[in-house]
Amino acid sequence: MINRFANLQKSTIAITAITVVAAILRLWRFPEIPGGLNQDEASAGYEAFALLTDGTDRWGNAWPAYFPSWGSGQNVLLSYLSMPVVGLFGLSAFSIRLVPVLLGIGAVPLLYVALRRFTDLPTALIGAALLALTPWHITASRWALESNIMPFFLLAGVTTLGYAYTSSRPRLLIPFSLVFLALALYGYGVAVFVVPIMVGLYLCTRYRTVLKHPLAVVLSMLAFLVVAGPILLFVLVNNVLHRSPHFVSSLPFTVPKLVSSRLDQITSGQDLAALNTHFVTGGFGDGYLWTVPNGFLVLGVIGFPLAALGVYFAARTRSPEANLFTFWLIGAVALLFVVPANGNRANALFIPIIALTAIGIGGLYHAMSDRKTGRAVVAVVMATALGYGMLFFHDYTTRYPKPIAEAFGKGFGDSLKSADGARHGNEPIYITDHLSLNYVETLFHLKAKPKDFQANSEVKTVDGVYQVRNYRHYYFSGTETALDAAPSYIAVLGPNEARKCARTEPIDHSGQFTVIRCVTR
């Protein structure tokens, strides 16, 4: 009994230490790094602000199951979760990034709980430590790309699913076992491919429990359909029926019919087999700064051999719960036959690979007859992971801030304030069209009222994308005739951007944006 208590104390100290390290790596200079604001962050943040203000998205849709956003749509879960934070702290980079960073930190002890429940203590600690140090997960946790919260909900879903079916009270817990997996569909729509495969494989291996508690299993399916119903209806409307049934307009939430298909946009002209083979064999690198800094591997020292060992050792246990991460991985691999992969579209792959790597390392340790050798192998692997993680984090906090700040338009909010402060009378203001979704970034920093935006903007649809000509006196295209028609206008210019003016008056230049007054005649 004393030894058991001592072991519990040691394990508690160990996972607490690992979680503290994970928190430091994700909160150090938060939200300063990455500087600026990605357009997807601005969009998700403004949608949270709009929902909080009017109960609609920026286009006036009440409580949508999916945001139309720029035309082909955006996932809603992050915005809904961020509403209380935006309400408390106001709309800012901090408020929109707080939920992702907290979920990122929370994923570390959550993986520990899952692996300890499904495998053993050493494997659980190894898995938590690997996740804490993984470059992809550190990077993804620190900014608010809405799809990056899906892996947390898949992990929470796997944990609750396995726990419910192995608990001493399955009749009570099984009905709620699929709720987190239903929420994952709102985190990122591709979960609609992952979840059915993963759950189907697990229930096949748990058929005795299914047959023993059929009512509880049926209730779990019904609970899943209730929670996921709006997003499944959205999929039905946009991908199957291609029209909205009459009853949809009577629902207390909106099921938007999108003007274009994101899947069609990203797959058009793509050689999926070649692209995704290169993505996988290249270590999941996609060349995007927001996935990981250039020169670093997405999963650090984690590689296919150890993950393959994990699949083998999990299968050898014949435990459905130990194989849950394999089932998850199979569901995630199915995505590679549907979408051209990059670091965010394929993010469902990474946590199961990390978990299976931990199972592989743990299995290798237990398979060695010489425990000292086994401990030495584990120590070398973990020391290598720690060293690589620290090398990555040093780069992340020293070299990386400059290029990512440029990519995320750091300084735009300050330049917008300078432009507003310098405006005389009815002067229009041009917002550089070098900035992606420049109208969304403008709405975010102005904290513009959604109804005011809807009433005072001109919008048209071009090739399945909503293009906003103007919002009040802000214009978003460099070819806008209203600018040259005015005697003068204020321009917020991007790097190496110039305007044809009779005379220019410099107003502000800080960072990569320049604010001028363009006198046209």
Side-chain angles (χ1 to χ4, degrees):
M1 184 71 178
I2 294 174
N3 288 338
R4 199 170 177 183
F5 180 72
N7 289 335
L8 178 62
Q9 275 191 319
K10 289 178 182 178
S11 63
T12 302
I13 292 170
I15 187 55
T16 300
I18 291 169
T19 304
V20 168
V21 170
I24 292 171
L25 295 176
R26 287 153 181 79
L27 291 174
W28 186 262
R29 293 176 65 186
F30 172 86
E32 177 188 345
I33 305 175
L37 204 66
N38 177 271
Q39 66 268 18
D40 289 350
E41 293 183 285
S43 181
Y46 188 71
E47 299 292 25
F49 175 78
L51 289 167
L52 192 65
T53 303
D54 295 328
T56 71
D57 68 359
R58 63 176 175 262
W59 304 117
N61 299 296
W63 308 110
Y66 200 80
F67 295 131
S69 290
W70 40 83
S72 57
Q74 187 176 23
N75 308 286
V76 300
L77 184 58
L78 176 59
S79 296
Y80 280 107
L81 293 177
S82 297
M83 286 173 61
V85 187
V86 172
L88 186 61
F89 297 106
L91 184 59
S92 65
F94 173 83
S95 63
I96 192 59
R97 289 176 176 175
L98 187 60
V99 169
V101 80
L102 293 178
L103 294 181
I105 295 167
V108 173
L110 184 58
L111 181 59
Y112 166 82
V113 169
L115 286 172
R116 184 164 187 181
R117 177 82 179 184
F118 304 155
T119 58
D120 55 41
L121 176 60
T123 300
L125 291 171
I126 291 168
L130 290 175
L131 183 60
L133 297 167
T134 298
W136 157 74
H137 197 255
I138 295 170
T139 306
S141 299
R142 294 181 62 106
W143 68 293
L145 180 64
E146 89 285 351
S147 59
N148 277 339
I149 69 171
M150 179 193 65
F152 174 88
F153 285 90
L154 289 177
L155 177 58
V158 162
T159 306
T160 54
L161 181 64
Y163 185 89
Y165 276 80
T166 56
S167 73
S168 58
R169 296 176 292 175
R171 288 183 183 177
L172 179 64
L173 297 181
I174 286 175
F176 305 99
S177 62
L178 299 179
V179 171
F180 280 109
L181 293 177
L183 290 173
L185 274 62
Y186 297 95
Y188 193 13
V190 298
V192 76
F193 298 103
V194 181
V195 171
I197 295 172
M198 177 172 61
V199 173
L201 290 171
Y202 177 69
L203 293 184
C204 285
T205 60
R206 269 280 168 199
Y207 68 93
R208 287 191 177 89
T209 308
V210 172
L211 293 175
K212 188 177 179 181
H213 304 287
L215 179 58
V217 175
V218 169
L219 288 174
S220 74
M221 300 296 182
L222 290 175
F224 179 88
L225 290 175
V226 168
V227 176
I231 189 67
L232 294 177
L233 184 57
F234 166 81
V235 172
L236 181 69
V237 165
N238 285 273
N239 299 96
V240 180
L241 301 177
H242 301 289
R243 63 180 181 83
S244 295
H246 293 300
F247 74 88
V248 168
S249 60
S250 302
L251 296 172
F253 53 88
T254 304
V255 180
K257 176 69 175 69
L258 302 183
V259 296
S260 59
S261 165
R262 182 60 177 160
L263 186 60
D264 289 345
Q265 287 177 345
I266 64 176
T267 56
S268 178
Q270 298 280 5
D271 184 345
L272 278 185
L275 192 150
N276 290 347
T277 299
H278 181 265
F279 175 74
V280 173
T281 57
F284 308 112
D286 58 12
Y288 293 126
L289 274 174
W290 43 84
T291 301
V292 289
N294 292 334
F296 287 88
L297 297 171
V298 171
L299 296 183
V301 299
I302 295 168
F304 291 116
L306 286 173
L309 269 178
V311 172
Y312 166 73
F313 284 121
R316 205 170 73 166
T317 66
R318 298 188 178 181
S319 162
E321 288 67 46
N323 284 281
L324 258 171
F325 289 103
T326 302
F327 302 151
W328 178 354
L329 183 60
I330 292 170
V333 167
L335 292 175
L336 300 178
F337 297 93
V338 181
V339 299
N342 61 25
N344 62 282
R345 293 180 199 142
N347 60 14
L349 286 166
F350 301 143
I351 288 182
I353 290 175
I354 293 167
L356 289 167
T357 297
I359 293 172
I361 295 170
L364 196 61
Y365 168 75
H366 291 302
M368 290 182 176
S369 55
D370 186 349
R371 284 286 183 262
K372 287 185 179 179
T373 303
R375 282 193 288 269
V377 169
V378 172
V380 168
V381 172
M382 298 312 296
T384 304
L386 178 62
Y388 194 90
M390 294 302 100
L391 184 65
F392 156 79
F393 192 66
H394 177 265
D395 184 271
Y396 186 90
T397 54
T398 54
R399 183 192 62 84
Y400 180 71
K402 186 175 186 293
I404 194 62
E406 291 173 356
F408 280 11
K410 183 179 181 181
F412 172 71
D414 292 335
S415 295
L416 184 62
K417 285 181 183 178
S418 295
D420 281 330
R423 179 175 177 250
H424 294 157
N426 295 322
E427 275 185 318
I429 297 178
Y430 162 63
I431 305 297
T432 174
D433 55 15
H434 294 193
L435 185 68
S436 296
L437 287 181
N438 53 358
Y439 80 92
V440 175
E441 297 268 2
T442 301
L443 293 174
F444 182 98
H445 287 287
L446 292 176
K447 301 176 179 58
K449 299 296 183 183
K451 288 183 178 178
D452 189 64
F453 166 65
Q454 295 155 26
N456 296 285
S457 61
E458 186 177 328
V459 185
K460 60 182 178 178
T461 304
V462 180
D463 297 327
V465 177
Y466 293 133
Q467 290 192 355
V468 178
R469 174 181 177 252
N470 72 291
Y471 164 55
R472 290 192 175 272
H473 55 276
Y474 300 94
Y475 290 85
F476 303 105
S477 171
T479 59
E480 174 55 54
T481 56
L483 298 174
D484 292 326
S488 65
Y489 63 90
I490 306 296
V492 180
L493 305 177
N496 304 313
E497 185 180 9
R499 303 292 296 175
K500 290 182 179 179
C501 308
R503 187 178 80 254
T504 62
E505 299 174 5
I507 295 172
D508 181 53
H509 178 74
S510 55
Q512 58 185 308
F513 295 97
T514 301
V515 182
I516 64 166
R517 172 173 283 106
C518 178
V519 180
T520 58
R521 52 185 179 272

